[in-house]
């Protein structure tokens, strides 16, 4: 296929080819130059710094791979932050996938109001994380929060739960924020996937006498495999970079503290932010954390891709 | 069964919208009245809350956010369309290399560049301007990938060929033939970049520390300390910061939803 294309391009007048390929480079130039200046160079610079002990002001002290060794052997908080991140992802991603698919099925079979429900459920995805953090901090406040208020009023609770002060419930609230934010997005992607399945396949199943449940299990589910893989891999990549939701949940006035109760919602990026810019300004150590995270992201996205897309790929 | 499912989606929808509704309602209340019950109906304190907010540099910050998002949208869509056009419609030696490069860089998390970026901006004396939070959008791998796919799918090679035969120059082909045809793609990418840059939190948090260059997320997150007790004013600021995002989304929601799902369905 490639050979063919190449041949056909050779067949064109020499002058034309030269002219247009020069323009192709010119059109690529802004992107390449911009990426080098504002991403690639900073990445290499960060990587360079990760081998130093440096606070950004004084002298750089070359320490080799010591930062990396410290992260993986002598910094229990790094493992804790990684565990927290994974725990929150474990609590949120399966719910997003199952509920997202279920909602998409319901919407798919709906005749009226489809686009209203889709738009309404998509709103959380586009909202400023600052707002989400604030809304949830407020809703789950022990004293004034509406969640406790409502639960007490309908008699489920006798007194309010300290949602944001206990490690287990704090993680739950962060997971809820993430589910709330991404559910509409998952639903939309699944809906698009279902719409792209040819109508004839469903018709054929109907003719063969398959009931809706069987059709879903035997036809829809397997055809949505690629979409599930996409959603899983992207949420693993995004989830490991979690920062906005937990940090903003705990940035309001008197409740403002790093990591939540007992560091239970301290994520890797939050730790990175804190080590590199907040408490000690350890830029070298921070860089090393970010590159360790990058390695972890590669490993986990590969694993999740293998799991969701099947072994043959 | 059907009723049950529709009931289920109705509940989920209510839960999706309710927090927004509460924020907008609460922004019309006097702070001390907020806890007398659920604020389902609007009160009459909206203008007073506006006054409290506008005493801070909220308008300036709002302007900053608009400058950042609009510049990000313009730069990102232009650069992405150009590189997308080159990869989709030209044959040249490094085409495959550049294409793979874009796909790989899409997976690189932004945190690994952020320390180097901060130091680079400090060296160039650009920290504490709005430029650092605009420039990151210039070469946005997702945008380049998205436009490449879009141009591949929506423009026939013959159109470009015939324009060339008519003696049309390459930049003119781009401006007068390609751009009009990829407007829906540009609209989707523009909406996404607008939302993402408007909502961006980590980068401005790290790079900007002068209040005159704050963007909305940073200002709203620090309002917590400035207006400790005036919850309604904070809600009002929040409502104002969500508002443009909702407008942009509702205006483009059809093409926008199509655009983001197209990437997933294909990939």
């Amino acid at each position: 296929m490639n050979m063919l294309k190449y041949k056909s391009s050779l067949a064109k007048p020499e002058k034309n080819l030269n002219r247009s390929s020069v323009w192709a480079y010119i059109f690529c130039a802004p992107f390449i130059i911009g990426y080098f200046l504002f991403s690639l160079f900073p990445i290499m610079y960060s990587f360079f710094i990760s081998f130093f002990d440096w606070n950004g002001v004084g002298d750089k002290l070359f320490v080799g791979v010591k930062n990396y060794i410290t992260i993986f052997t002598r910094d229990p908080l790094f493992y804790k932050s990684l565990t927290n991140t994974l725990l929150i992802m474990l609590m949120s991603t399966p719910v997003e996938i199952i509920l997202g698919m279920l909602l998409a099925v319901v919407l798919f079979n709906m005749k009226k109001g489809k686009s209203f429900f889709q738009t309404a459920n998509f709103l959380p995805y586009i909202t400023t994380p600052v707002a989400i953090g604030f809304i949830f901090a407020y809703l789950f406040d022990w004293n004034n929060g509406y969640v406790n208020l409502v639960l007490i009023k309908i008699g489920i609770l006798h007194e309010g739960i300290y949602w944001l002060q206990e490690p287990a419930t704090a993680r739950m609230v962060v997971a809820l924020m993430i589910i709330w934010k991404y559910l509409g997005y998952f639903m939309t992607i699944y809906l698009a996937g279902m719409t792209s399945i040819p109508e004839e396949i469903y018709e054929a199943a109907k003719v063969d006498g398959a009931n809706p449940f069987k059709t879903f299990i035997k036809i829809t589910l397997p055809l949505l495999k690629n979409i599930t893989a996409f959603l899983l891999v992207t949420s693993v990549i995004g989830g490991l970079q979690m920062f906005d939701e937990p940090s903003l949940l705990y940035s309001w006035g008197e409740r403002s503290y790093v990591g939540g109760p007992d560091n239970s919602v301290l994520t890797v990026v939050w730790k990175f932010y804190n080590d590199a810019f907040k408490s000690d300004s350890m830029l070298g150590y921070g860089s090393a954390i970010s590159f360790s995270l990058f390695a972890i992201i590669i490993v986990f996205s590969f694993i999740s891709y293998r799991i969701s897309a099947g072994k043959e790929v | 069964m059907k009723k049950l499912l529709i009931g289920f989606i109705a509940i989920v929808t209510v839960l999706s919208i309710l927090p927004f509704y509460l924020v907008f309602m609460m922004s019309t209340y006097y702070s001390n009245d907020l806890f007398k019950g659920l604020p389902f109906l609007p009160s009459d304190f909206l203008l007073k809350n506006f006054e409290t907010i506008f005493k801070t540099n909220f308008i300036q910050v709002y302007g900053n956010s608009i400058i950042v998002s609009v510049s990000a949208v313009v730069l990102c869509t232009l650069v992405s369309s150009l590189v997308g056009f080159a990869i989709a419609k030209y044959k040249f030696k490094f085409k495959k290399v550049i294409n793979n490069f874009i796909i790989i860089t899409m997976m690189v998390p932004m945190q690994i560049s952020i320390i180097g970026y901060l130091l680079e901006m400090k060296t160039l004396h650009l920290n504490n301007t709005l430029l650092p939070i605009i420039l990151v959008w210039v070469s946005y791998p997702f945008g380049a990938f998205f436009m490449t796919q879009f141009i591949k799918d929506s423009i026939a090679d013959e159109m470009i060929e015939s324009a060339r035969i008519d003696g049309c120059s390459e930049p003119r082909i781009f401006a007068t033939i390609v751009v009009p045809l990829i407007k829906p793609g540009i609209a989707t990418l523009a909406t996404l970049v607008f939302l993402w840059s408007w909502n961006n939190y980590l980068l401005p948090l790290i790079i900007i520390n002068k209040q005159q260059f704050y963007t909305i997320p940073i200002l709203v997150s620090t309002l917590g300390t400035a207006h400790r007790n005036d919850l309604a004013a904070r809600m009002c600021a929040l409502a104002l910061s969500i508002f443009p995002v909702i407008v942009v989304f509702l205006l483009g929601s059809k093409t926008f939803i199509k655009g983001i799902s197209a990437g997933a369905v294909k990939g």
Side-chain angles (χ1 to χ4, degrees), chain A residues 2 5-6 8-9 12 16-17 19-21 23-25 27-28 30-43 45-47 49 54 56 99 102-103 106-107 109-111 115-132 134-136 138-139 144-146 149-150 153 180 183 185 187-189 192-193 196 226-227 230 237 241 243-244 247-248 251-254 269 272-273 276-277 282-284 286-287 290-291 293-294 297, chain B residues 2 5-6 8-10 12-13 15-17 19-20 22-23 26 34-35 37-39 79-80 82-83 85-87 90-94 96 98 101-102 105 107-121 123 135-136 138-141 144 161 164 167-171 173-174 192 195-196 198-199 201-202 205-206 216-218 220-225 228 231 234-235 238 241-242 245-246 249-250 253-254 256-257 260-265 267:
Chain A
N2 266 330
K5 268 187 189 162
Y6 193 60
S8 73
S9 82
K12 268 175 221 147
N16 202 0
L17 179 80
R19 186 186 73 161
S20 58
S21 78
W23 276 106
Y25 289 114
F27 290 154
C28 288
F31 180 83
I32 305 275
I33 294 169
Y35 193 83
F36 181 82
L37 286 179
F38 308 125
S39 293
L40 198 58
F41 173 72
I43 288 172
Y45 196 14
S46 301
F47 190 59
I49 291 171
W54 190 39
L99 279 189
L102 191 64
L103 287 173
V106 177
L107 268 196
N109 294 312
M110 228 171 176
K111 282 179 191 76
S115 77
F116 164 75
F117 282 116
Q118 198 173 9
T119 311
N121 282 299
F122 208 79
L123 278 178
Y125 178 76
I126 58 155
T127 308
T128 322
V130 177
I132 301 179
F134 187 53
I135 293 168
F136 273 76
Y138 181 70
L139 287 177
N144 299 319
Y146 289 134
L149 229 66
V150 169
K153 214 167 215 174
W180 183 75
L183 189 57
Y185 170 76
M187 178 191 83
T188 301
I189 303 285
S196 73
N226 283 336
I227 301 217
F230 167 83
I237 295 173
Q241 300 175 55
F243 170 74
D244 295 6
S247 73
L248 286 163
S251 68
W252 302 104
E254 60 270 40
V269 177
F272 156 78
Y273 169 72
F277 303 105
M282 304 183 288
L283 292 183
S287 300
S290 68
F291 278 91
L293 176 66
F294 184 36
I297 287 177
Chain B
K2 206 173 175 192
L5 286 174
I6 290 183
F8 172 64
I9 199 166
V12 173
T13 309
L15 288 178
S16 289
I17 304 179
F20 293 102
L22 286 178
V23 168
M26 284 163 86
L34 273 176
F35 302 105
L38 286 171
V79 171
S80 302
L82 281 172
V83 70
F85 177 46
I87 293 173
Y90 286 90
K91 297 177 181 82
F92 54 104
K93 206 174 162 196
F94 292 108
K96 247 204 160 148
I98 297 177
F101 178 76
I102 290 172
T105 51
M107 292 176 226
V108 175
M110 173 255 221
Q111 293 85 13
I112 65 169
S113 71
I114 211 164
I115 289 178
Y117 189 65
L118 173 71
L119 296 169
E120 184 188 13
M121 290 298 140
T123 315
L135 292 176
V136 282
V138 170
S139 295
Y140 193 56
E161 280 307 316
R164 240 174 234 159
C168 199
S169 71
E170 306 296 315
I173 293 179
F174 176 76
L192 279 171
L195 298 178
W196 287 336
W198 185 272
N199 292 342
Y201 176 62
L202 183 59
L205 181 69
I206 287 169
I216 291 269
I218 308 302
V220 177
S221 72
T222 54
L223 273 183
T225 39
R228 193 172 287 263
L231 205 75
R234 269 197 254 168
M235 287 295 177
L238 259 181
S241 68
I242 305 173
V245 177
I246 294 184
F249 171 67
L250 289 181
S253 79
K254 274 233 169 92
F256 172 67
I257 287 178
I260 56 158
S261 25
V265 174

